[in-house]
Amino acid sequence: MHRLGISVYPEHSTQEKDFAYMELAAKYGFSRIFTCLLSASSDPEVIKREFGAFLKKAHELGYEVAADTNPQVFQNLGASPDNLEIFHQLGLDIIRLDGHFDELQDVLITRNPYGIKIEFNGSSDADVERLIRHGADRRNMIICHNFYPERYSGLSQKTFDRFNEKWTSLGMTTAAFVSSQAEHTFGPWEVYQGLPTLEADRTLPIDAQVRHMVACEVIDDILIGNAYATEEELKAMASVKLTNTTIRMDEAEGLGEAEKDAVYRFIHNGRNDASEYFIRSSFPRLQFKSREIPFRPCEKKTFTRGDVLVVNDNLAHYRGEVEIVLTEIENDGQRNLAGRIADTDMRILDEMEKRPDHVFEII
């Protein structure tokens, strides 16, 4: 089950602003918080006092909280891989390891008696499988990708897929970051260019980013990397259907009611025997055996990648089938152009092409 989350950076803001943001996101069903202890005060007493109050408020609102740490943070707090008492006293739910200890200590930290989950860096070649073989408790191990403040430094889809193939094979719960497009957002460092995991997400509307993460079918928790997202963005994220892929279509002019029904009123299940030319959803055909879909002329001589088609009366046996073009095909008059996948969502189509039997809705 997907969960939505926010990021909060108390050392760069005020308690009043942070708590208001946490309350707002909780109203929209957000249930995870990422925060960072890497740039926090080096005074352990300040950390205990301020971070403890922050965690108390977060838990009152129903959040699970992960904090980025490294060996230096442990040293400042008097903690060690075999002694997480201070994190337990603070109430921290997840320790994200930005930097590692040695192999034995990384094994020991997963076997802490407090049930604190240990989150490993998903955007790396961390040898989690080796740790498990050497005694790490996989029940306390989860994965979270990095975010990337610098423009052009975020992961490519190819690299993202390569990492995720490993985490999926190990059955790991995974998280990744999307980015708010609001002005004056910030993160743990003095860079203000968004905080996504994927570079291609850096400038997209936040709902398109989330829908892409869902379409990848390998990410469990989707977190906003920068603060503060707007209420409109929180609402947009919360409105994304998380149970299956949703892909946005720009309608063709003159779209008829029958075509709209075929496109919008079904949860589509792409055929796993689809050809290289299009993703096929055949189920609507059952509803159009005795219902007409008149041929509607279209100026396009060929249909191109991203065009959404509905089979018309000229091919009555397949009437009502919805097809999303992957490779250019001739417009032979047997299909009406219903619309075109929105530019922001073409990456979602790329994910659907990898697995043509996607369950999806066109919105």
Side-chain angles (χ1 to χ4, degrees):
M1 181 65 182
H2 297 283
R3 293 186 298 172
L4 301 178
I6 57 173
S7 297
V8 180
Y9 305 101
E11 68 277 15
H12 297 306
S13 187
T14 66
Q15 187 178 92
E16 181 181 11
K17 289 180 180 179
D18 287 341
F19 285 8
Y21 184 50
M22 291 155 62
E23 290 170 356
L24 180 62
K27 185 177 80 171
Y28 288 104
F30 285 65
S31 59
R32 274 201 62 173
I33 290 178
F34 169 84
T35 192
C36 183
L37 286 175
L38 302 182
S39 56
S41 168
S42 60
D43 185 336
E45 294 307 314
V46 172
I47 293 176
K48 292 174 186 178
R49 182 177 66 253
E50 297 183 354
F51 194 59
F54 162 72
L55 283 168
K56 182 175 184 294
K57 178 66 172 179
H59 290 151
E60 288 174 355
L61 293 169
Y63 287 105
E64 184 178 51
V65 181
D68 222 6
T69 67
N70 61 17
Q72 185 62 50
V73 172
F74 274 65
Q75 183 177 338
N76 287 346
L77 292 174
S80 63
D82 61 351
N83 180 10
L84 303 185
E85 184 177 1
I86 180 60
F87 295 111
H88 172 63
Q89 291 174 352
L90 289 170
L92 187 62
D93 303 295
I94 300 169
I95 293 173
R96 185 177 189 274
L97 293 180
D98 186 68
H100 294 276
F101 300 92
D102 62 34
E103 183 178 282
L104 174 59
Q105 290 177 311
D106 280 353
V107 168
L108 289 177
I109 198 172
T110 71
R111 292 193 166 274
N112 69 84
Y114 308 113
I116 298 174
K117 295 175 184 176
I118 308 304
E119 196 166 61
F120 293 85
N121 181 359
S123 303
S124 74
D125 286 314
D127 200 348
V128 171
E129 188 174 15
R130 178 181 173 87
L131 293 179
I132 294 171
R133 288 200 309 269
H134 288 198
D137 186 350
R138 67 183 303 152
R139 293 168 298 183
N140 274 348
M141 301 168 72
I142 58 177
I143 300 295
C144 182
H145 281 278
N146 274 344
F147 51 46
Y148 294 90
E150 183 184 4
R151 288 184 69 200
Y152 309 116
S153 68
L155 297 184
S156 68
Q157 188 67 47
K158 182 178 180 180
T159 302
F160 189 60
D161 290 345
R162 175 170 62 84
F163 287 135
N164 287 326
E165 184 176 355
K166 177 168 63 173
W167 309 135
T168 301
S169 71
L170 294 173
M172 291 289 176
T173 297
T174 58
F177 293 94
V178 294
S179 187
S180 166
Q181 302 303 318
E183 294 183 356
H184 311 302
T185 59
F186 58 93
W189 323 119
E190 293 183 358
V191 184
Y192 310 102
Q193 299 172 344
L195 283 178
T197 292
L198 287 165
E199 185 59 38
D201 279 342
R202 194 174 299 276
T203 60
L204 287 180
I206 204 163
D207 68 300
Q209 298 176 56
V210 173
R211 287 187 289 104
H212 176 262
M213 286 292 181
V214 173
C216 289
E217 296 193 326
V218 291
I219 299 300
D220 299 293
D221 298 344
I222 304 168
L223 318 174
I224 306 172
N226 46 349
Y228 302 106
T230 66
E231 182 169 5
E232 290 75 16
E233 288 180 315
L234 297 175
K235 186 176 180 180
M237 280 186 68
S239 68
V240 171
K241 190 167 187 177
L242 301 176
T243 53
N244 54 257
T245 295
T246 51
I247 189 163
R248 190 175 301 283
M249 181 185 82
D250 296 328
E251 285 188 6
E253 187 176 352
L255 188 63
E257 289 304 313
E259 296 157 284
K260 289 180 181 178
D261 287 349
V263 169
Y264 294 128
R265 295 191 179 178
F266 292 90
I267 296 177
H268 300 284
N269 190 180
R271 291 177 55 147
N272 61 12
D273 64 345
S275 75
E276 65 185 295
Y277 291 97
F278 42 58
I279 292 170
R280 296 178 65 188
S281 172
S282 295
F283 183 70
R285 285 162 48 184
L286 299 175
Q287 305 296 317
F288 284 89
K289 284 184 176 181
S290 58
R291 185 178 176 187
E292 294 181 349
I293 302 180
F295 164 70
R296 186 164 49 79
C298 173
E299 292 181 356
K300 297 186 74 168
K301 301 297 183 183
T302 57
F303 295 123
T304 55
R305 184 178 180 83
D307 285 346
V308 180
L309 313 176
V310 178
V311 177
N312 61 40
D313 292 341
N314 290 339
L315 192 61
H317 181 74
Y318 294 94
R319 181 171 50 217
E321 180 165 285
V322 175
E323 300 164 352
I324 305 179
V325 177
L326 300 174
T327 300
E328 185 176 288
I329 63 173
E330 177 189 357
N331 178 3
D332 57 12
Q334 297 176 343
R335 299 167 177 86
N336 292 350
L337 178 65
R340 181 168 178 78
I341 298 303
D343 289 344
T344 57
D345 287 25
M346 290 298 285
R347 294 162 62 234
I348 297 176
L349 182 58
D350 294 342
E351 296 304 313
M352 293 169 63
E353 185 175 13
K354 295 173 187 175
R355 260 196 57 190
D357 59 345
H358 252 72
V359 175
F360 67 96
E361 292 177 64
I362 299 173
I363 60 174

